[in-house]
Amino acid sequence: MHVPFPHIFKRYDIRGIAGEELNPALVEALGRAVGTHLLRRGGRDAVVGRDGRLTCKEYMDLFIRGALSTGLDVVD
């Protein structure tokens, strides 16, 4: 997947403008990438959290869907 805004990736997090730099397809792909990464390193479970921004619930659900698609167990 082409990432049009590579600057959103920081050393310890991902920061971008919702609806502009972050979109549903990218967020779900990130969930798949994290799920794949964790499983390849022997992980089976992940905990996902969010803050109170208006887009957080939607984006968290997309991220979780991507992670679950890899076989990872996810806790909200």
Side-chain angles (χ1 to χ4, degrees):
M1 165 179 258
H2 170 70
V3 179
F5 303 101
H7 67 275
I8 67 174
F9 296 96
K10 308 298 181 194
R11 185 173 176 113
Y12 294 105
D13 64 2
I14 299 169
R15 295 184 175 260
I17 300 170
E20 293 179 25
E21 298 167 329
L22 298 173
N23 62 58
L26 176 59
V27 174
E28 189 170 343
L30 289 169
R32 285 192 305 274
V34 169
T36 299
H37 175 81
L38 292 173
L39 288 168
R40 286 182 179 167
R41 282 151 186 79
R44 293 182 313 212
D45 307 302
V47 176
V48 178
R50 64 182 181 273
D51 61 23
R53 285 176 264 198
L54 297 176
T55 54
C56 286
K57 174 71 169 115
E58 174 191 1
Y59 282 14
M60 186 188 75
D61 290 344
L62 290 162
F63 183 91
I64 289 173
R65 183 168 58 195
L68 288 172
S69 74
T70 69
L72 189 71
D73 288 326
V74 180
V75 176
D76 171 6

